[in-house]
Amino acid sequence: MIRALILVLLLGSLGCWLDREHQAGRFQRVDELFLDFLVANARDRFIAADDQAVSSSPVVLVKMRLADKAEYAGWPPRPLDWQMVLKGLQAYNPAVVVIPETLFWGSPSPEFVNEAAQALVPFPSTVLGVEAQLAANREAPAFLGGLENSLPQFQKVQGDIGSVPPLGALIAAPDDLLRRQGEIGLTVPKDAGKLPYAFQESGHLLPTVLAQALARFTQTPYATQRLLLGPGAGAYLSNGAFVPLSAAGEFIINTKQPVHEVDALHLMTSELADALSPQDKANLSGDKVIVIGTDDDAQSGLARLHAQALAQVLALPRLRLLPHWAQWLLWGAAGLAGFWLVFFVPRTKSILRGMLCIFAALVTCFLAFQSSLIWCPPTIPAALIAVSTVFARIAGRRKV
C-alpha cells in the first residue's frame, strides 16, 4: 500500500512537472528529432500527391496567354492590364494572390501603376516576385539594392546551409507603389522541374516566392517555421503542413500535373460581360491561392511552375499531433505500465522489462505514424516508464 501511494505521488508529480516543462518548450528539440525520424521513415508519403488530391487543392492559375498578346495593352502586360485583372479578381476573395514575375516597367513609373497598386489593397495577402541572380562566389556578399529590411529570414534552420544556392544579386524588384501593398519573395530564371525554397545570403536564408506563399496561406510566421536541410530535408509549417525538399532546399515539381486554369482575359472583361464560365467561378471562389502570370501553353513558365508546386504541396497529407487529452490517456497507460513493473515484475528483471516497455511504446508510435501520420511527443511517457523502472528496481516485487 505504501509503495503504491509513493508511486502514485512520484508519477503524478513527475507528470505534472514534465507537462509544464513541455508546454514551456523545454523538450522541443527532443520532439523535433523524434518527428524528423518519423518523417524520414515515411518519406514516400510526401513524394507526390495523387492526381485527385492535387485537382482538389485550393490553387488556381490565372494565365495571360502569349497567344492573346494582341488583346493586351502591351506585352509583357502593362499596368493597365494588371489593374483590370486584379479588379476582376476582387469579387472572389482569394486568400493569397501570388505574382512570381517581377512587375517593373522602368523609371519613372508609367501610367496606371498606382491604379494597379490600389487594386491589390482589398486582398488580405499578396506575394510579389523579385528577380534574383545566383552567386558564382559564395564569399561575396549579395547586392540587395536597399531591400534588406523588406526580405524576411528563416529563424529556425537545422542542417548545413552550405548546400543552399547562394544569392548573388537582385536584378529587378516590383515597382515601389506595388511593393507597398504586398510582400516580396525571391525568384530566379526558371529551372523546369524544381523551385528553390530559400537562398543563402551572409549566413542567413531568405525565402523565395514559393516559401512566402506557403507561409501566408498556412499562416506560419517565420519565427515558428522550421527548415531542415540535408538528408530528410523539409519545411515544417503550421497545422501539420510539411514541404518535402531536396538536400539543397528545392521542391521537386511534377511538371505534367495539371492545375485549375482561368484565362485572364475573362477577368478583364468581367465588368462588361459575364465571360467567366460557372466552372471558372467555382474555381476562383473561396479562400484560394491565385497565381497570376504570363503563359504560352507550350512550356512551364514561372507562374505555372509556382501554381503546380503550390497545388502539389497543399495536396500532401498533413502531420497530425495527438490531441492533448489523448496524450494524457497515453501518459496514464505509461503509469499503468509502471505499476505493472513495480508490483508484478521481479526486481532482477525490471530493468529489461522497462526497456522493453519503452521500446514497445516507440514502435507503436512508429507504426501509428506510418499508417496515419499521427504522432505523440515521446518525452513524458518514456520518462514515466523510466522512473517506474528505477523504482521497481529499488522497491519492486521480490523474486519468490
Side-chain angles (χ1 to χ4, degrees), residues 174-199:
D175 193 282
D176 181 62
L177 292 172
L178 293 166
R179 290 206 306 271
R180 298 174 190 176
Q181 309 303 332
E183 302 172 358
I184 58 176
L186 304 175
T187 62
V188 293
K190 63 181 182 179
D191 184 356
K194 59 184 178 182
L195 280 177
Y197 197 80
F199 291 119

Side-chain angles (χ1 to χ4, degrees), residues 191-271:
D191 184 356
K194 59 184 178 182
L195 280 177
Y197 197 80
F199 291 119
Q200 180 192 166
E201 198 283 312
S202 299
H204 302 287
L205 293 185
L206 307 179
T208 61
V209 167
L210 175 62
Q212 280 276 55
L214 289 170
R216 297 307 303 170
F217 185 74
T218 61
Q219 299 182 359
T220 309
Y222 285 101
T224 61
Q225 184 174 162
R226 185 165 66 94
L227 183 58
L228 178 65
L229 301 172
Y236 292 90
L237 306 173
S238 297
N239 300 316
F242 177 75
V243 187
L245 302 172
S246 69
E250 297 167 324
F251 180 74
I252 308 302
I253 307 169
N254 176 12
T255 56
K256 303 298 183 181
Q257 178 65 55
V259 293
H260 296 301
E261 300 178 9
V262 174
D263 194 326
L265 285 177
H266 296 165
L267 282 169
M268 293 173 67
T269 58
S270 60
E271 293 186 356

Side-chain angles (χ1 to χ4, degrees), residues 97-360:
V97 173
V98 183
I99 305 176
E101 299 165 22
T102 303
L103 301 185
F104 182 71
W105 299 274
S107 183
S109 300
E111 290 185 302
F112 298 105
V113 170
N114 183 59
E115 287 77 4
Q118 291 303 310
L120 289 173
V121 172
F123 301 123
S125 184
T126 303
V127 179
L128 305 173
V130 176
E131 185 180 352
Q133 175 180 288
L134 298 182
N137 182 2
R138 289 180 175 268
E139 303 301 323
F143 172 73
L144 300 181
L147 296 181
E148 295 85 351
N149 296 327
S150 300
L151 293 167
Q153 298 178 359
F154 288 98
Q155 303 296 315
K156 299 176 65 177
V157 180
Q158 294 160 0
D160 180 19
I161 69 172
S163 60
V164 178
L167 183 65
L170 302 185
I171 304 303
D175 193 282
D176 181 62
L177 292 172
L178 293 166
R179 290 206 306 271
R180 298 174 190 176
Q181 309 303 332
E183 302 172 358
I184 58 176
L186 304 175
T187 62
V188 293
K190 63 181 182 179
D191 184 356
K194 59 184 178 182
L195 280 177
Y197 197 80
F199 291 119
Q200 180 192 166
E201 198 283 312
S202 299
H204 302 287
L205 293 185
L206 307 179
T208 61
V209 167
L210 175 62
Q212 280 276 55
L214 289 170
R216 297 307 303 170
F217 185 74
T218 61
Q219 299 182 359
T220 309
Y222 285 101
T224 61
Q225 184 174 162
R226 185 165 66 94
L227 183 58
L228 178 65
L229 301 172
Y236 292 90
L237 306 173
S238 297
N239 300 316
F242 177 75
V243 187
L245 302 172
S246 69
E250 297 167 324
F251 180 74
I252 308 302
I253 307 169
N254 176 12
T255 56
K256 303 298 183 181
Q257 178 65 55
V259 293
H260 296 301
E261 300 178 9
V262 174
D263 194 326
L265 285 177
H266 296 165
L267 282 169
M268 293 173 67
T269 58
S270 60
E271 293 186 356
L272 302 177
D274 194 3
L276 290 170
S277 68
Q279 183 61 52
D280 286 342
K281 294 178 180 179
N283 289 338
L284 291 170
S285 299
D287 295 331
K288 299 295 180 66
V289 180
I290 307 296
V291 183
I292 313 175
T294 57
D295 189 84
D296 66 2
D297 290 330
Q299 57 183 346
S300 294
L302 201 57
R304 183 175 293 274
L305 282 175
H306 280 82
Q308 290 173 325
L310 288 165
Q312 290 163 29
V313 169
L314 295 177
L316 292 174
R318 298 289 183 99
L319 309 178
R320 295 190 296 154
L321 178 64
L322 203 64
H324 200 63
W325 62 266
Q327 293 185 41
W328 274 93
L329 292 179
L330 286 182
W331 303 344
L336 292 177
F339 271 83
W340 174 74
L341 290 168
V342 171
F343 293 101
F344 296 96
V345 176
R347 293 183 187 181
T348 54
K349 298 181 179 180
S350 59
I351 298 295
L352 178 59
R353 300 289 174 84
M355 293 175 63
L356 289 175
C357 285
I358 293 176
F359 179 75

